Amino acid sequence: MRFYSCYAFDLDGTLYRGNEVVPGAAETVAALQGRGARILYVTNNSGLTKGDYVEKLGRLGFSASEDQIVTSGQAGADVCRLRGYQKVFLVGEPGLVATFRANGLEVVNAGEDGSVRPSDSSADVVVSGICREALSYRLLDSAMQVAIQTQNYIACNGDLTYPIEGGKFSPGSGSIVAAIEACSGVKPFVAGKPNPTILTSAFDRLGIDAADTLMVGDRMDTDIACGRAAGCDTLLVLSGVAHEAIAGQWCLESVSGLL
């Protein structure tokens, strides 16, 4: 099996499910690092900051630094800055609010603690990510009004579900995207996977060669599509969303098969 100079790993369903580590995943990543490979952790889950992910990965047995973390939340903030949006109406969690604030963006509907709430404040754009606690009809209504007024909507990602402990799944931020798009009629720009920019911007920042990178994930429509579009080889693992091998796609039961 070919050895790559860089391995870009999805998180949910690939290295862990909730707080359950995929068997052999931490040992596999450590072994690849020990052989000199560079490791990226590329997640569509916008609920945590880069620092939060460093803490979680460390707690689960993975070695990580903030430079290695690539999130759809940061990708969403990057799109806002590139498009000149300053005031953001956000449907998401405190970690996403913190990410946007760290990038100099004003979240018009968030309190000091980072919790989001319904608001009639004006904004330049609606941004949505995973929103497990604060989601409500009133928050959805406020987001709809801003989306209709501005015609600007950025989704951190469109994953309909994500894997959790015990082989189960929870609703992903794609279910929120579907609701906002349905009621506002505004189609979102998706900043995270499968948009290859989430990977290529990290490659440019770190001097990584896409042609010598393996993108590893559990979803064909996000992880694998993103890796292919970015110019990487790809590996589909069957430990998360995907459960059956796909013809023409390199597949393994889990990342431990890399060793």
Side-chain angles (χ1 to χ4, degrees):
M1 184 179 297
R2 176 185 170 188
F3 177 76
Y4 292 82
S5 66
C6 179
Y7 292 80
F9 289 100
D10 170 59
L11 296 183
D12 291 294
T14 299
L15 297 185
Y16 56 70
R17 299 181 64 115
N19 288 304
E20 291 180 352
V21 181
V22 171
E27 294 81 0
T28 298
V29 173
L32 293 172
Q33 288 177 311
R35 293 175 61 187
R38 301 179 74 174
I39 302 296
L40 291 180
Y41 301 101
V42 188
T43 179
N44 258 1
N45 193 326
S46 63
L48 301 178
T49 66
K50 289 184 178 184
D52 293 333
Y53 276 114
V54 169
E55 187 279 328
K56 177 172 183 176
L57 285 163
R59 176 165 44 84
L60 295 180
F62 299 90
S63 173
S65 66
E66 289 196 21
D67 279 348
Q68 295 173 278
I69 309 295
V70 182
T71 75
S72 67
Q74 181 61 55
D78 289 343
V79 173
C80 285
R81 290 189 295 106
L82 288 170
R83 295 188 176 187
Y85 302 143
Q86 292 295 319
K87 295 184 177 183
V88 178
F89 185 97
L90 197 147
V91 179
E93 301 192 342
L96 184 57
V97 173
T99 296
F100 271 58
R101 286 174 170 168
N103 282 269
L105 299 165
E106 179 184 354
V107 182
V108 302
N109 65 314
E112 291 185 6
D113 63 352
S115 60
V116 297
R117 58 204 177 197
S119 172
D120 60 0
S121 299
S122 61
D124 303 318
V125 61
V126 172
V127 176
S128 69
I130 191 68
C131 187
R132 288 165 283 203
E133 299 297 329
L135 186 65
S136 67
Y137 182 88
R138 290 184 60 222
L139 184 66
L140 177 62
D141 180 39
S142 294
M144 178 186 76
Q145 305 309 328
V146 175
I148 290 173
Q149 180 183 15
T150 65
Q151 293 293 296
N152 297 325
Y153 176 25
I154 296 170
C156 290
N157 74 89
D159 298 44
L160 294 175
T161 62
Y162 67 96
I164 60 172
E165 297 90 345
K168 298 179 181 180
F169 295 85
S170 284
S173 67
S175 58
I176 300 170
V177 173
I180 295 174
E181 181 178 359
C183 65
S184 70
V186 180
K187 187 174 180 64
F189 177 87
V190 179
K193 298 175 288 186
N195 188 330
T197 304
I198 191 173
L199 271 181
T200 57
S201 60
F203 293 162
D204 292 342
R205 173 171 56 87
L206 298 170
I208 291 172
D209 181 5
D212 201 18
T213 297
L214 181 69
M215 177 69 215
V216 184
D218 67 313
R219 300 186 72 114
M220 285 293 296
D221 59 342
T222 56
D223 305 318
I224 303 307
C226 178
R228 288 175 174 176
C232 306
D233 286 350
T234 59
L235 167 64
L236 180 71
V237 292
L238 308 181
S239 53
V241 171
H243 292 293
E244 296 182 356
I246 306 295
Q249 171 62 49
W250 184 23
C251 302
L252 291 172
E253 289 296 321
S254 72
V255 296
S256 61
L258 285 168
L259 297 182

